[in-house]
Amino acid sequence: MKRSFAAFFAILLIPACLFGCAPSYFVKSDAVFAGIVLDVKLYGGNPEKAYEEMVSLATEINGAISLGEPDSAINAFNESDSGKKIPVIRRVYDLVRLAKTAYAETDGAFNPCLPDVSKAWGVDNDGIATGNPPAVFPTEEELNALRAVATPDLVKTGEENGNYYISKNADGVKLDLGGIAKGYLADEFKAIAERYNVVSGCISLSGNVILIGRYKEGDSERDWGVGITDPREKHAYVCGFYTQGGVSVVTSGDYERYYFSDGIRFCHVVDPFTFTPTGVERTDSGFAQKADYVISATVRGASSSKCDALSTAVMVLGAEKGAELLERQGYDGIIFTADKKMKVVGKFDFATSQTGYTEYERI
Ligand code: AMP
Ligand code: MG
């Protein structure tokens, strides 16, 4: 039986969040770093301690990997010469290895070695913050010069006597872990919550959601409700579904971080094959918006870091190939395209209807 979604509408308007909240949940919402908000609703055990530990872990990881922190380990790596070993904490070592694996599993659609390409288009954090296009767009020749080093195969990870390091096999190789770090953190948050005996919870790190146990409502329990933000009407959900705990739900889209130039939307995900922002192609006269590009990709599955990498990869691959990737990897997904199509991979317990203002045709 389909359950009504309308009753939950407009309760919460963050991407992929839960609906409703029993009073006995520990509820907290705080910006943890650079515009990233950690929302938690935790039940059972010691949620205060769990939350404290999550915030301190987020701060530590951000300090180690942020491209905006001049002293971060990743910036030290990015500035280093070929062969130099850059010491990192074990978690950064793990994260780099996960990013390399994601590159292999997505046949290169997820590529953590594109920070200079993002910068050239002004779709890196600094560029996007202005909301404006760069003074000059990069030429194809300038971008092609970055190609040889844009591969994580040239990033080496190592461990010696319990000390971890990363190094590169060619000058100019750089890392940007922004496409997987939130998912990695969400997985770690789940482990923290479980260590503090939390039995039911929803942890959301700006769109990366982890669900624990079942949602408690008075004396009863039910599945969690998850709403997906309408990519073109951000104050509404485009659809909602119910899901059991023990999974993560991650959305990547073109509607949070982007700028417009001549009516064309340039978003923060870069296509590693064309070296343009996804959804943008070069034409003889300048740029054009691709008609059917992915504007929102939600992925559901066991590992949040994997959901995070896959959702970014689906943005790159488009609806058809993105759906094939999810099927191959055994992850579920809901994909929306600019020409108003909706592609679903796997089985979802949808609420009755789409509630956003944009109608998407199921394909
Ligand atoms: P997400 O919001 O998870 O889709 O990740 C997008 C972020 O990942 C961007 O802000 C960049 O930091 C980085 N990024 C951009 N394009 C890619 C890509 N093709 N593969 C991996 N990371 C990317
Ligand atoms: Mg991602």
Side-chain angles (χ1 to χ4, degrees):
M1 191 188 72
K2 290 272 179 200
R3 284 167 280 182
S4 168
F5 179 53
F8 302 115
F9 177 58
I11 293 172
L12 281 172
L13 293 174
I14 53 172
C17 61
L18 82 166
F19 316 132
C21 168
S24 48
Y25 274 82
F26 170 84
V27 180
K28 194 101 173 148
S29 176
D30 260 329
V32 279
F33 54 82
I36 302 293
V37 177
L38 172 60
D39 284 288
V40 302
K41 293 170 177 62
L42 306 173
Y43 179 90
N46 191 341
E48 289 91 351
K49 274 271 171 221
Y51 184 76
E52 227 173 75
E53 212 166 288
M54 289 175 201
V55 172
S56 96
L57 179 65
T59 309
E60 183 188 15
I61 299 287
N62 182 56
I65 69 164
S66 169
L67 298 177
E69 302 270 343
D71 295 333
S72 72
I74 293 301
N75 269 329
F77 169 84
N78 287 352
E79 297 311 316
S80 70
D81 294 330
S82 169
K84 184 161 169 39
K85 291 179 181 171
I86 306 297
V88 290
I89 55 175
R90 199 213 73 224
R91 283 199 163 93
V92 171
Y93 165 90
D94 288 343
L95 191 43
V96 172
R97 289 173 73 89
L98 283 173
K100 282 166 66 76
T101 302
Y103 174 75
E105 285 178 349
T106 60
D107 293 327
F110 179 88
N111 185 332
C113 291
L114 305 171
D116 283 345
V117 180
S118 299
K119 200 187 225 13
W121 286 103
V123 296
D124 59 328
N125 271 336
D126 290 347
I128 288 284
T130 69
N132 293 313
V136 203
F137 281 113
T139 63
E140 274 189 288
E141 292 68 35
E142 283 163 345
L143 292 169
N144 280 335
L146 301 171
R147 240 173 232 285
V149 291
T151 163
D153 293 338
L154 295 171
V155 178
K156 297 290 152 201
T157 58
E159 191 247 311
E160 283 164 5
N161 308 320
N163 298 312
Y164 298 89
Y165 67 85
I166 54 177
S167 64
K168 58 181 79 164
N169 275 4
D171 286 340
V173 178
K174 294 186 183 177
L175 279 169
D176 167 8
L177 300 169
I180 195 170
K182 281 190 286 165
Y184 172 82
L185 269 173
D187 284 329
E188 295 292 304
F189 290 168
K190 180 169 176 242
I192 291 171
E194 285 169 353
R195 198 152 23 83
Y196 283 101
N197 301 317
V198 169
V199 292
S200 167
C202 171
I203 304 167
S204 167
L205 193 61
S206 285
N208 280 242
V209 171
I210 280 270
L211 301 167
I212 298 167
R214 300 194 81 213
Y215 176 63
K216 295 200 176 286
E217 214 169 25
D219 292 338
S220 61
E221 295 183 342
R222 62 167 171 80
D223 287 344
W224 293 94
V226 176
I228 300 179
T229 299
D230 186 329
R232 289 296 175 262
E233 294 286 349
K234 281 203 291 174
H235 53 288
Y237 292 128
V238 63
C239 68
F241 59 87
Y242 294 89
T243 199
Q244 291 184 344
V247 294
S248 175
V249 182
V250 176
T251 298
S252 182
D254 74 344
Y255 53 91
E256 292 285 355
R257 295 165 63 210
Y258 61 91
Y259 59 76
F260 276 105
S261 173
D262 282 340
I264 296 169
R265 187 188 293 251
F266 291 69
C267 79
H268 73 311
V269 179
V270 169
D271 183 325
F273 309 112
T274 62
F275 272 25
T276 55
T278 57
V280 175
E281 60 192 349
R282 282 187 196 269
T283 63
D284 292 343
S285 55
F287 302 106
Q289 195 95 71
K290 288 184 193 162
D292 60 352
Y293 80 101
V294 174
I295 59 177
S296 164
T298 294
V299 178
R300 178 180 68 186
S303 149
S304 193
S305 64
K306 195 148 168 171
C307 288
D308 196 358
L310 288 173
S311 57
T312 304
V314 171
M315 291 286 293
V316 170
L317 293 171
E320 287 302 322
K321 286 190 174 150
E324 282 166 24
L325 171 68
L326 296 184
E327 270 160 19
R328 270 203 314 277
Q329 293 292 321
Y331 273 61
D332 302 328
I334 306 173
I335 304 166
F336 294 97
T337 61
D339 57 350
K340 301 197 172 56
K341 302 284 188 335
M342 174 187 187
K343 177 110 187 141
V344 177
V345 178
K347 212 167 165 292
F348 283 88
D349 178 12
F350 280 112
T352 37
S353 62
Q354 295 179 23
T355 56
Y357 293 97
T358 321
E359 282 292 320
Y360 291 83
E361 179 202 346
R362 186 98 175 246
I363 53 167

